[in-house]
Amino acid sequence: MVVGDQSSGKSSILESLTGFSFPQAPGLCTRYATQISCRRDSEQSVSISIIPRPGADAALEDRLRSFQWTIDTLSNEELVEVIEEANQVMGIKMRGDETDSNLTAFSEDILKIEINGRTQEHFTVIDVPGISRNASPPLTSDSDVALVRRMVQSYMENSRTIILAVLPSNVDISTQEILTMAQTADPTGQRTMGVLTKPDLVMEDVNRKTIQDLVLGRRHKLRLGYYVVKNRSADDQNSTLYERLEHEKLFFAERRWSQLSSTNRCGIPSLRARLSYLLMMLTKKEIPNVMSDAKADLETCRAKLNDLGPARNDHGSQRTHIGRIATKFQMLTQAALNGFYDSDPVFTADPSFKLITTITKLNEKFANDFWMRGHKRHISAEWNDEGDKAYEVPDMDAVSAVDQAHGEYPKLFDITELEDYTCPKAIAFKDDSIMKHIERVYQENRGPELGTVRRQPDFYF
């Protein structure tokens, strides 16, 4: 990936590496990540699409994916048209006087460009928006600056990405924050390479000596070192890639740059060769991790597919699926009632499904309450509550239990009612003895079924 400050020359480097001409029209600076994939193919073609941002809703994702361009060759004028249309689809605000609140200065969507041809190399580069330290109202705000920083940092933290830190030669390298960000994302420096641009703008010999010291590894050392390339000038709009490479070759052949001629670190061809080697080494290192990640993703997809169950495209399969659900529910219900908790993992995952255990606890609670508070009167004058606490189980708060049930199952709220009830204190024996109570109940409930008993005569032999 190519990272750096705004106007540091990132797009020019990408253009030289890929042969893809980026437009220089005002207002078309990078407002989102651009992924350029080069592939060797027998037929020449260019395909352009948009990869939706993470978390995009269905309507936005459909609109972004509907953006498709496929063409044999793409001229600079056509590319300007493509980017302008992509900006509209992404909702990019290109002018400061635009008042639509739905437009943003930057987007997390990705513009994907696939270049196929006989002379193309197999690699992918990513251009991200340039880092700015201050907002530029009304076009950009502080939140836009923070968004770009997060976007750049997320790409840099990818362990399979080579970081090309682009640094203008005419700016003091100690002021370039991109090196600090690269060191944070790549502490060992195995993926970070410095690329110095605009050497033709360095006029003083002391500054030129600083650039040479960087390339020769004498200061601000990077593990992968620095390369220096010459960008096309702002007025150069018509030169071909071949012509620009020739101009670059002649530039570094001058005597003032001759000290770097033996380093193989000058010019786009040297940079491209080094990148190809680094990509090959990084690919070899990451292949086992890629295979592991692919296997994990495959297992995840299979698990999600299994959760969906078999295809149900017709009414018959849909009825069968509902029947399976009903059968499964019946089996779980029987297991919950009979205590067969080993029959399904759901009982381990959610113990509240252990129905017979819950019922048993409720019965024990009822029995305990009945034992302790069920009597209405003492049956003897010597009653001393002996045995009231002989049968104990963990107490359960009925109010909290009902409230919990209402929270988990809101539909029960309208069909359940909790009444306040307190067991009355037992009547003392002296106030109403048990024998008087029995006699009173007997008298109040007598019936004709008792009848009379007639004594039989005795017989003697």
Side-chain angles (χ1 to χ4, degrees):
M1 64 171 297
V2 182
V3 295
D5 287 354
Q6 289 183 346
S7 303
S8 59
K10 303 188 310 301
S11 296
S12 296
I13 291 178
L14 284 172
E15 181 177 337
S16 299
L17 289 173
T18 64
F20 188 81
S21 297
F22 286 84
Q24 301 296 317
L28 292 182
C29 59
T30 306
R31 299 301 182 89
Y32 36 77
T34 303
Q35 176 181 307
I36 306 174
S37 300
C38 299
R39 300 289 182 267
R40 185 170 298 175
D41 195 275
S42 58
E43 296 183 1
Q44 183 174 347
S45 64
V46 178
S47 299
I48 304 177
S49 59
I50 296 177
I51 301 176
R53 71 198 71 172
D57 57 57
L60 176 60
E61 184 173 349
D62 290 341
R63 188 176 81 245
L64 294 174
R65 292 193 182 279
S66 65
F67 178 84
Q68 297 283 339
W69 276 68
T70 302
I71 195 170
D72 294 338
T73 58
L74 194 63
S75 64
N76 192 61
E77 293 76 12
E78 290 174 322
L79 181 58
V80 171
E81 182 182 352
V82 169
I83 292 181
E84 289 178 345
E85 183 178 339
N87 291 344
Q88 293 178 0
V89 174
M90 296 184 193
I92 298 296
K93 179 172 60 175
M94 301 306 300
R95 300 189 312 274
D97 58 353
E98 293 180 297
T99 59
D100 190 347
S101 59
N102 295 323
L103 299 180
T104 59
F106 296 92
S107 174
E108 295 183 84
D109 302 320
I110 301 175
L111 183 65
K112 181 180 179 182
I113 302 175
E114 296 182 357
I115 307 173
N116 301 312
R118 293 186 178 90
T119 60
Q120 295 295 335
E121 301 291 339
H122 287 272
F123 66 92
T124 297
V125 292
I126 299 176
D127 182 24
V128 293
I131 297 174
S132 60
R133 294 168 179 78
N134 300 307
S136 301
L139 189 58
T140 61
S141 62
D142 292 336
S143 60
D144 295 324
V145 174
L147 172 64
V148 171
R149 187 176 297 273
R150 290 195 304 270
M151 186 189 309
V152 173
Q153 194 71 39
S154 65
Y155 279 101
M156 295 174 68
E157 290 174 352
N158 190 337
S159 62
R160 296 164 191 165
T161 298
I162 296 176
I163 303 172
L164 291 184
V166 179
L167 310 164
S169 299
N170 58 339
V171 177
D172 186 359
I173 191 174
S174 61
T175 65
Q176 299 298 292
E177 189 179 2
I178 193 63
L179 289 179
T180 303
M181 296 179 64
Q183 186 176 7
T184 302
D186 178 31
T188 61
Q190 295 180 345
R191 302 184 290 110
T192 304
M193 179 189 298
V195 181
L196 302 169
T197 61
K198 306 180 181 181
D200 52 320
L201 300 183
V202 179
M203 301 303 177
E204 295 82 4
D205 290 338
V206 62
N207 292 335
R208 192 177 299 112
K209 180 66 166 54
T210 300
I211 300 303
Q212 293 174 350
D213 288 344
L214 288 171
V215 176
L216 294 173
R218 295 172 181 171
R219 61 170 64 190
H220 292 285
K221 294 183 178 180
L222 287 179
R223 186 167 183 173
L224 298 182
Y226 293 86
Y227 281 72
V228 57
V229 299
K230 180 184 179 299
N231 307 81
R232 67 173 177 175
S233 65
D235 297 330
D236 183 5
Q237 301 292 329
N238 301 316
S239 62
T240 64
L241 178 60
Y242 175 79
E243 291 172 343
R244 291 196 293 271
L245 292 178
E246 286 298 315
H247 292 162
E248 182 184 55
K249 182 178 179 181
L250 293 174
F251 176 81
F252 286 114
E254 297 178 2
R255 184 177 59 84
R256 54 184 177 176
W257 296 101
S258 59
Q259 187 178 2
L260 302 180
S261 59
S262 61
T263 62
N264 289 327
R265 288 180 173 268
C266 296
I268 288 295
S270 298
L271 177 61
R272 185 187 291 119
R274 179 63 171 166
L275 283 176
S276 297
Y277 174 77
L278 291 176
L279 285 172
M280 180 183 67
M281 299 305 296
L282 185 62
T283 301
K284 288 182 178 179
K285 176 183 176 182
E286 289 293 328
I287 279 180
N289 296 330
V290 172
M291 295 175 62
S292 177
D293 292 345
K295 183 177 180 181
D297 291 342
L298 181 61
E299 292 300 324
T300 301
C301 291
R302 285 175 175 171
K304 291 181 179 180
L305 187 61
N306 290 334
D307 291 341
L308 293 175
R312 300 180 291 275
N313 300 325
D314 52 69
H315 294 296
S317 58
Q318 293 168 6
R319 285 193 293 269
T320 301
H321 177 68
I322 295 176
R324 291 196 186 99
I325 295 177
T327 302
K328 178 71 173 180
F329 178 79
Q330 184 180 13
M331 292 175 59
L332 289 176
T333 303
Q334 292 297 325
L337 289 174
N338 296 318
F340 298 151
Y341 301 139
D342 293 336
S343 61
D344 197 281
V346 68
F347 296 108
T348 302
D350 191 348
S352 65
F353 287 155
K354 297 180 177 181
L355 182 59
I356 195 62
T357 300
T358 303
I359 293 176
T360 301
K361 290 181 179 180
L362 290 174
N363 285 338
E364 291 176 350
K365 175 65 171 59
F366 174 78
N368 186 55
D369 289 344
F370 193 82
W371 175 267
M372 296 179 63
R373 304 182 181 91
H375 55 281
K376 296 181 63 177
R377 61 185 64 249
H378 295 165
I379 61 175
S380 68
E382 293 79 19
W383 184 270
N384 59 2
D385 292 341
E386 181 180 356
D388 274 10
K389 298 183 179 180
Y391 184 78
E392 293 183 355
V393 296
D395 197 12
M396 297 174 61
D397 189 348
V399 176
S400 63
V402 172
D403 290 340
Q404 181 180 0
H406 285 167
E408 294 180 358
Y409 309 101
K411 293 182 178 179
L412 296 178
F413 186 80
D414 296 332
I415 62 175
T416 57
E417 182 178 355
L418 183 62
E419 296 181 355
D420 294 332
Y421 177 78
T422 304
C423 290
K425 186 176 180 180
I427 300 173
F429 183 82
K430 64 181 180 179
D431 296 334
D432 188 8
S433 69
I434 187 65
M435 295 303 299
K436 290 181 179 180
H437 174 70
I438 293 174
E439 183 178 356
R440 183 170 62 254
V441 171
Y442 165 71
Q443 294 296 339
E444 293 175 354
N445 295 277
R446 293 182 63 182
E449 69 278 1
L450 295 179
T452 58
V453 179
R454 188 174 183 178
R455 184 177 179 180
Q456 298 294 328
D458 295 332
F459 292 93
Y460 298 92
F461 296 92

Short mmCIF file of all heavy atoms in Angstrom, two decimals, residues 2 18 50 148 177 184 200 216 235 252 300 337 352 396 405 409 422 431 439 451:
data_model
loop_
_atom_site.label_atom_id
_atom_site.label_comp_id
_atom_site.label_asym_id
_atom_site.label_seq_id
_atom_site.Cartn_x
_atom_site.Cartn_y
_atom_site.Cartn_z
N VAL A 2 0.36 2.32 -0.61
CA VAL A 2 1.10 3.57 -0.74
C VAL A 2 0.47 4.59 0.21
O VAL A 2 -0.72 4.90 0.09
CB VAL A 2 1.07 4.08 -2.19
CG1 VAL A 2 1.88 5.35 -2.32
CG2 VAL A 2 1.61 3.01 -3.13
N THR A 18 1.98 0.86 -12.12
CA THR A 18 0.91 0.09 -12.76
C THR A 18 0.69 0.46 -14.21
O THR A 18 0.05 -0.30 -14.94
CB THR A 18 -0.42 0.31 -11.99
OG1 THR A 18 -0.80 1.69 -12.09
CG2 THR A 18 -0.27 -0.05 -10.53
N ILE A 50 -17.05 -0.97 -7.22
CA ILE A 50 -16.96 -0.42 -5.86
C ILE A 50 -17.20 -1.54 -4.86
O ILE A 50 -18.18 -2.28 -4.97
CB ILE A 50 -17.99 0.71 -5.65
CG1 ILE A 50 -17.69 1.89 -6.58
CG2 ILE A 50 -17.98 1.19 -4.20
CD1 ILE A 50 -18.71 3.01 -6.48
N VAL A 148 -9.72 9.64 7.98
CA VAL A 148 -8.61 9.27 7.10
C VAL A 148 -7.49 8.61 7.89
O VAL A 148 -6.91 7.61 7.45
CB VAL A 148 -8.10 10.51 6.35
CG1 VAL A 148 -6.83 10.19 5.59
CG2 VAL A 148 -9.16 11.04 5.40
N GLU A 177 4.95 12.50 9.65
CA GLU A 177 4.29 11.64 10.65
C GLU A 177 4.07 10.23 10.14
O GLU A 177 3.89 9.30 10.94
CB GLU A 177 2.96 12.28 11.05
CG GLU A 177 2.28 11.60 12.22
CD GLU A 177 0.97 12.28 12.59
OE1 GLU A 177 0.60 13.24 11.90
OE2 GLU A 177 0.34 11.83 13.56
N THR A 184 4.59 2.24 14.27
CA THR A 184 3.58 1.69 15.18
C THR A 184 2.93 0.44 14.59
O THR A 184 2.71 -0.55 15.30
CB THR A 184 2.50 2.75 15.46
OG1 THR A 184 3.11 3.91 16.03
CG2 THR A 184 1.46 2.21 16.43
N ASP A 200 13.84 16.39 -8.11
CA ASP A 200 14.16 17.50 -9.00
C ASP A 200 13.84 18.85 -8.37
O ASP A 200 14.28 19.89 -8.88
CB ASP A 200 13.40 17.35 -10.32
CG ASP A 200 11.90 17.13 -10.09
OD1 ASP A 200 11.57 16.39 -9.15
OD2 ASP A 200 11.10 17.68 -10.86
N LEU A 216 21.60 5.79 1.11
CA LEU A 216 22.78 4.99 1.46
C LEU A 216 22.69 4.41 2.87
O LEU A 216 23.60 3.68 3.29
CB LEU A 216 24.03 5.84 1.32
CG LEU A 216 24.37 6.30 -0.11
CD1 LEU A 216 25.54 7.28 -0.09
CD2 LEU A 216 24.69 5.10 -1.00
N ASP A 235 3.01 20.02 -14.99
CA ASP A 235 2.66 20.48 -16.34
C ASP A 235 2.73 19.38 -17.38
O ASP A 235 2.32 19.58 -18.52
CB ASP A 235 3.60 21.62 -16.76
CG ASP A 235 3.45 22.85 -15.85
OD1 ASP A 235 2.34 23.05 -15.34
OD2 ASP A 235 4.45 23.56 -15.67
N PHE A 252 18.78 10.66 -13.15
CA PHE A 252 19.67 10.06 -12.16
C PHE A 252 21.05 9.75 -12.73
O PHE A 252 21.96 9.37 -11.98
CB PHE A 252 19.03 8.78 -11.60
CG PHE A 252 17.89 9.05 -10.66
CD1 PHE A 252 16.59 8.68 -10.99
CD2 PHE A 252 18.10 9.69 -9.45
CE1 PHE A 252 15.54 8.93 -10.13
CE2 PHE A 252 17.04 9.95 -8.59
CZ PHE A 252 15.76 9.57 -8.93
N THR A 300 -16.51 -21.69 9.20
CA THR A 300 -17.54 -20.76 9.67
C THR A 300 -18.72 -20.72 8.70
O THR A 300 -19.89 -20.75 9.11
CB THR A 300 -16.94 -19.36 9.83
OG1 THR A 300 -15.87 -19.40 10.77
CG2 THR A 300 -18.00 -18.37 10.31
N LEU A 337 -39.05 -33.25 30.74
CA LEU A 337 -39.99 -33.78 31.74
C LEU A 337 -39.46 -35.03 32.41
O LEU A 337 -39.78 -35.30 33.57
CB LEU A 337 -41.34 -34.08 31.07
CG LEU A 337 -42.17 -32.85 30.65
CD1 LEU A 337 -43.39 -33.28 29.87
CD2 LEU A 337 -42.58 -32.05 31.89
N SER A 352 -31.93 -23.57 32.47
CA SER A 352 -33.34 -23.28 32.73
C SER A 352 -34.28 -24.21 31.98
O SER A 352 -35.47 -24.29 32.29
CB SER A 352 -33.65 -21.82 32.36
OG SER A 352 -33.49 -21.62 30.97
N MET A 396 -37.09 -19.43 47.96
CA MET A 396 -37.23 -18.76 46.66
C MET A 396 -38.22 -17.62 46.82
O MET A 396 -39.28 -17.78 47.41
CB MET A 396 -37.72 -19.73 45.58
CG MET A 396 -36.76 -20.86 45.31
SD MET A 396 -37.45 -22.07 44.16
CE MET A 396 -37.71 -21.06 42.71
N ALA A 405 -39.81 -14.06 35.22
CA ALA A 405 -40.56 -14.72 34.14
C ALA A 405 -41.17 -13.69 33.20
O ALA A 405 -41.18 -13.87 31.99
CB ALA A 405 -41.65 -15.61 34.75
N TYR A 409 -40.24 -13.71 29.38
CA TYR A 409 -41.39 -14.08 28.54
C TYR A 409 -42.46 -12.99 28.68
O TYR A 409 -43.41 -13.14 29.46
CB TYR A 409 -41.94 -15.44 28.94
CG TYR A 409 -40.89 -16.52 29.04
CD1 TYR A 409 -40.38 -16.92 30.28
CD2 TYR A 409 -40.38 -17.12 27.89
CE1 TYR A 409 -39.41 -17.89 30.36
CE2 TYR A 409 -39.41 -18.11 27.97
CZ TYR A 409 -38.93 -18.48 29.21
OH TYR A 409 -37.96 -19.44 29.28
N THR A 422 -50.63 -13.47 52.86
CA THR A 422 -49.86 -13.81 54.05
C THR A 422 -50.62 -14.84 54.85
O THR A 422 -51.82 -14.66 55.11
CB THR A 422 -49.59 -12.57 54.92
OG1 THR A 422 -48.95 -11.58 54.16
CG2 THR A 422 -48.72 -12.92 56.13
N ASP A 431 -57.91 -20.62 72.68
CA ASP A 431 -58.96 -19.83 72.06
C ASP A 431 -60.02 -20.71 71.39
O ASP A 431 -61.19 -20.34 71.33
CB ASP A 431 -58.36 -18.88 71.03
CG ASP A 431 -57.44 -17.86 71.68
OD1 ASP A 431 -57.63 -17.56 72.86
OD2 ASP A 431 -56.51 -17.38 70.96
N GLU A 439 -66.12 -30.90 66.79
CA GLU A 439 -67.54 -31.07 67.11
C GLU A 439 -68.38 -30.04 66.36
O GLU A 439 -69.46 -30.36 65.85
CB GLU A 439 -67.76 -30.94 68.62
CG GLU A 439 -69.21 -31.16 69.03
CD GLU A 439 -69.39 -31.08 70.53
OE1 GLU A 439 -68.37 -30.92 71.24
OE2 GLU A 439 -70.54 -31.15 71.00
N GLY A 451 -77.36 -42.47 60.00
CA GLY A 451 -78.34 -43.48 60.44
C GLY A 451 -78.15 -43.90 61.89
O GLY A 451 -77.47 -43.24 62.68
#
